[in-house]
Amino acid sequence: MKFRSQITKRVSVLLCVMALAAGAGSAAAAATDRTTQSAESKYAAQAKAAGLSSRQAAQLQDRVDAKLADIKVPAEQVGYNEIRAKDGSAIVTVSVPGVADTSCTYEWLCLWTGPNWTGSKVSFTKCQDYDLNDYSFNNDTLTSYKNNQTTGTVARFYNWEGRKVYKFGSTAYHTEDSLANTPWDNMIDIVDVC
């Protein structure tokens, strides 16, 4: 009888521990859900402040989510239409209908998918080679750029042709160009920022 009592107590303790663990897991999941909802509502508020309707904000968030899923480097959403590489070296800005973002921060190289600094944008600041496919600039989509780095800094643009092939360079300060109607439009795969 005493043996059964000890087994019953041990089973009861084990069940209590399992229930507590399940509760802790549920609490962690609930906290994660609240954090996600908080971020989503913050981005929805930013989109609304930019003049987007709820429907447009939801569609934009879907595009941001798709781009974030396509980016091959560790990255996170930091604004209603902005994704930043976790090391801070790159920012991807998803285009917003009716809102042109032609800006390029000083000491950055900025690239756009559309002519005349339109469409989605990716901006780089560290001196290294970047494969544009890693930042969801797939299928040779570069069409315009601004080299807003320090004076004399040269950015180099390459196409992948079984190997990295140099196509042209851009010397800062504030060199900009639209590649539309040039041989390099929708060709560049890799940039060496400086």
Side-chain angles (χ1 to χ4, degrees):
M1 195 71 141
K2 187 176 181 182
F3 179 71
R4 280 189 186 170
S5 175
Q6 288 175 341
I7 290 176
T8 303
K9 284 181 185 177
R10 286 184 184 168
V11 169
S12 295
V13 168
L14 181 60
L15 290 174
C16 286
V17 169
M18 290 172 55
L20 287 172
S26 297
T32 300
D33 286 346
R34 282 192 299 276
T35 301
T36 301
Q37 289 169 352
S38 175
E40 287 174 359
S41 63
K42 177 177 77 172
Y43 301 140
Q46 289 175 357
K48 185 176 180 180
L52 275 63
S53 68
S54 295
R55 183 172 188 254
Q56 290 171 320
Q59 290 171 336
L60 176 62
Q61 186 60 52
D62 288 345
R63 290 177 50 224
V64 169
D65 291 341
K67 195 159 280 281
L68 189 55
D70 193 40
I71 292 174
K72 296 172 182 71
V73 298
E76 61 190 343
Q77 184 174 359
V78 295
Y80 78 103
N81 70 329
E82 205 168 80
I83 299 165
R84 182 178 54 221
K86 290 200 176 181
D87 69 358
S89 66
I91 296 173
V92 175
T93 308
V94 179
S95 63
V96 177
V99 179
D101 180 5
T102 61
S103 67
C104 186
T105 303
Y106 181 58
E107 296 187 348
W108 288 71
L109 174 68
C110 304
L111 315 173
W112 284 265
T113 57
N116 304 313
W117 316 282
T118 60
S120 292
K121 174 176 82 170
V122 63
S123 307
F124 299 110
T125 189
K126 286 188 177 177
C127 289
Q128 65 184 51
D129 280 4
Y130 291 91
D131 181 340
L132 298 182
N133 286 318
D134 290 347
Y135 298 87
S136 193
F137 264 56
N138 303 329
N139 302 319
D140 304 313
T141 58
L142 173 62
T143 299
S144 53
Y145 70 91
K146 290 184 182 182
N147 185 354
N148 200 19
Q149 300 181 87
T150 55
T151 302
T153 303
V154 178
R156 292 170 182 80
F157 296 77
Y158 300 87
N159 187 44
W160 184 257
E161 299 171 9
R163 62 184 174 82
K164 189 171 89 170
V165 177
Y166 176 81
K167 294 301 175 180
F168 67 94
S170 164
T171 304
Y173 172 72
H174 206 65
T175 302
E176 57 189 37
D177 202 355
S178 181
L179 300 175
N181 303 315
T182 73
W184 305 296
D185 186 24
N186 295 317
M187 173 191 282
I188 302 303
D189 298 305
I190 301 164
V191 294
D192 179 2
V193 172
C194 45

